[in-house]
Coordinates of all heavy atoms in Angstrom, one line a residue:
I8 N -56.6 -153.9 -100.9 CA -55.7 -155.0 -101.3 C -54.4 -154.3 -101.8 O -53.3 -154.8 -101.5 CB -56.3 -155.8 -102.4 CG1 -57.6 -156.6 -101.8 CG2 -55.3 -156.8 -102.9 CD1 -58.4 -157.4 -102.8
V106 N -21.5 -76.8 -64.5 CA -22.9 -77.1 -65.0 C -23.2 -76.4 -66.3 O -24.2 -76.9 -67.0 CB -24.0 -76.8 -63.9 CG1 -23.8 -77.7 -62.7 CG2 -24.0 -75.3 -63.6
N187 N 4.3 -55.4 -72.5 CA 5.1 -54.2 -72.0 C 6.1 -54.6 -70.9 O 6.2 -54.0 -69.9 CB 4.2 -53.1 -71.5 CG 3.2 -52.6 -72.5 OD1 3.5 -52.5 -73.7 ND2 2.0 -52.3 -72.1
Q256 N -13.7 -55.4 -46.5 CA -13.5 -54.1 -47.2 C -12.5 -54.4 -48.4 O -12.8 -54.0 -49.5 CB -12.9 -53.1 -46.3 CG -13.8 -52.6 -45.3 CD -13.2 -51.5 -44.4 OE1 -12.1 -51.0 -44.7 NE2 -13.8 -51.2 -43.3

Side-chain angles (χ1 to χ4, degrees):
I8 294 172
V106 297
N187 301 323
Q256 294 181 10

